[in-house]
Amino acid sequence: MWGSERCQRWLQKKHLKAYRFVMGQQNLLSTIRCEMVDDGREVYWFHAASYGEYNVIRPIIRTLRNEKRRCIVTFFSSSGYIALMNENEKSHEVDNIFYLPLDTKSNVKEFLDIVKPSKVIFAISEYWVNYLSELHRRKIPTYLVSMLVADSSYLLKWYGYPIRKVFKVFTKFMVLDERSKENLAKIGFNNAEVIGDPLFDNAIRIAKEPYQNAIIETFCAGNTPIFVAGSVSDANDLSLVSSLIEHEQGVKFLIVPHEIDAVTLHEVQEKIPAKSLLYTECTADTDFTDVQVLVVNILGSLSRIYRYGNWAYVGGGFTAYLHSVIEPAVYGIPVAFGPRIERKTTPKEMVRRGIGAIVTTPEGLCYWFNQVREVREQEDVKSRATAFIEANANFTQKVCANIEQ
């Protein structure tokens, strides 16, 4: 169906992300076969759903990759694939980057025949039944990193049985808390170990690296404080941030949407109650005198952009997919997010420590902002955030030790 040019043009116009996914699957196995030339190195295959999940395994790859070991990464998400492809042109941190072929038995067998991984590492919650079944049949050591199994998880319900059935493939589950370990034991898996989140190590490394962005620095020049709204994902996120923009005309805003297709960007700019520009419309010489909002419509830079902020809001918290709250926290700034934090341990701990806050309404976001408006309150948060980040550093080595056993 999607092979016709007419359908592809329609999809590209109406749903860019779906278009990229469809195009990425075309002739995919042939592409992988051409690029996976056997060079004598053992292959570690890493898989992440999207760019956010990749940041969990990034420090693991940096530790495990060497001249005798080839590290390849697959993505389900086009945004993750594109962001890492762009980064890898400069960093060369992985050997190969591919979309994940669809989870059919024939695709899985052909993919594994081509790649021939000696070990496989999945991030967070990627459960592809045919891949896991075939990995088990081939007796390939397979690991799940940064897993969280809440009491409400479908894995504990009767309808989670098809996934539980293929969990026998996992050599080890590396989970984020004791509750997850206990819940896995309830369903018969005693090969879990509580290990911290490698995402902290990745965020710490990024925060320490030099970064300059001439356009953003021109926008942020002067003494006007900066609010960063990252991974703005839906109408709820946009409503909260737009209300704050309207109330805080003495603050500049960097808004980084989770999706950057033309339809989404139009919706974002239409909702913003102030003059805004798109990042891609600007240069370092742009006059931002009357511009209160810069909409950053590029991929892969958010974790670095947070360094320009005095405060941050992280999107996705009105769905089950809150984005990374660790990325802004490493800069020691107050962080707000939506209420759906049941799938993650870090935001709960940030709330407990007074680093982060749950907001559910525009009024709630404005109230929180007033609580952390002053420099004194910001310094208090920075002190608590620094201690929190330091306490959660250096878990990558523990993860890697488990994989290399």
Side-chain angles (χ1 to χ4, degrees), residues 135-180:
L135 287 168
H136 183 257
R137 191 185 72 81
R138 298 186 186 209
K139 296 181 171 61
I140 298 173
T142 304
Y143 304 84
L144 189 59
V145 178
S146 290
M147 185 186 196
L148 189 66
V149 186
D151 292 342
S152 59
S153 172
Y154 75 93
L155 294 172
L156 305 177
K157 312 297 184 184
W158 65 267
Y159 47 83
Y161 174 74
I163 300 298
R164 296 198 302 270
K165 186 178 178 181
V166 295
F167 268 18
K168 58 190 174 184
V169 67
F170 288 111
T171 308
K172 178 162 279 190
F173 300 94
M174 287 173 258
V175 299
L176 293 179
D177 60 12
E178 286 290 344
R179 176 64 73 179
S180 296

Side-chain angles (χ1 to χ4, degrees), residues 10-263:
W10 178 86
L11 195 61
Q12 184 177 20
K13 182 178 180 180
K14 295 295 185 180
H15 201 312
L16 181 59
K17 191 171 184 178
Y19 168 78
R20 287 171 173 164
F21 175 80
V22 169
M23 298 305 294
Q25 290 293 324
Q26 291 194 355
N27 302 313
L28 177 56
L29 286 164
S30 296
T31 300
I32 295 172
R33 189 179 296 278
C34 288
E35 293 191 23
M36 285 298 297
V37 177
D38 188 357
D39 58 6
R41 290 182 291 171
E42 70 170 337
V43 175
Y44 277 21
W45 167 34
F46 296 81
H47 176 70
S50 64
Y51 188 73
E53 283 77 4
Y54 173 70
N55 283 327
V56 171
I57 58 177
R58 186 196 296 263
I60 303 170
I61 292 173
R62 285 175 172 262
T63 302
L64 294 178
R65 186 179 179 225
N66 57 42
E67 66 276 1
K68 295 182 180 180
R69 184 176 293 145
R70 184 174 189 168
C71 291
I72 76 162
V73 176
T74 57
F75 285 101
F76 185 76
S77 158
S78 60
S79 59
Y81 174 85
I82 292 168
L84 185 57
M85 285 290 283
N86 292 337
E87 285 184 14
N88 208 51
E89 290 180 5
K90 297 179 181 179
S91 65
H92 305 292
E93 65 185 55
V94 300
D95 294 284
N96 299 93
I97 306 163
F98 304 115
Y99 283 106
L100 181 71
L102 294 177
D103 186 37
T104 67
K105 290 183 178 179
S106 60
N107 281 351
V108 168
K109 290 179 180 179
E110 186 173 355
F111 175 79
L112 292 176
D113 286 344
I114 296 169
V115 173
K116 299 181 178 67
S118 60
K119 293 192 176 182
V120 179
I121 298 92
F122 287 81
I124 303 179
S125 59
E126 283 290 274
Y127 314 131
W128 298 101
V129 171
N130 289 313
Y131 277 103
L132 294 177
S133 297
E134 187 64 15
L135 287 168
H136 183 257
R137 191 185 72 81
R138 298 186 186 209
K139 296 181 171 61
I140 298 173
T142 304
Y143 304 84
L144 189 59
V145 178
S146 290
M147 185 186 196
L148 189 66
V149 186
D151 292 342
S152 59
S153 172
Y154 75 93
L155 294 172
L156 305 177
K157 312 297 184 184
W158 65 267
Y159 47 83
Y161 174 74
I163 300 298
R164 296 198 302 270
K165 186 178 178 181
V166 295
F167 268 18
K168 58 190 174 184
V169 67
F170 288 111
T171 308
K172 178 162 279 190
F173 300 94
M174 287 173 258
V175 299
L176 293 179
D177 60 12
E178 286 290 344
R179 176 64 73 179
S180 296
K181 182 178 179 179
E182 292 168 4
N183 283 334
L184 282 171
K186 287 178 183 177
I187 54 177
F189 297 98
N190 297 302
N191 53 333
E193 182 177 348
V194 180
I195 298 178
D197 195 342
L199 189 55
F200 281 93
D201 290 334
N202 184 65
I204 290 167
R205 177 190 59 81
I206 289 172
K208 289 179 177 179
E209 288 179 347
Y211 177 74
Q212 290 183 309
N213 185 306
I215 294 172
I216 292 178
E217 287 172 10
T218 300
F219 175 74
C220 296
N223 297 318
T224 305
I226 305 296
F227 190 103
V228 182
S231 295
V232 172
S233 302
D234 58 22
N236 289 304
D237 292 335
L238 192 53
S239 175
L240 266 64
V241 174
S242 296
S243 177
L244 189 63
I245 293 170
E246 187 174 14
H247 284 88
E248 299 295 337
Q249 297 178 15
V251 176
K252 285 188 172 182
F253 289 77
L254 289 166
I255 295 182
V256 187
H258 184 58
E259 302 294 342
I260 56 171
D261 58 276
V263 173

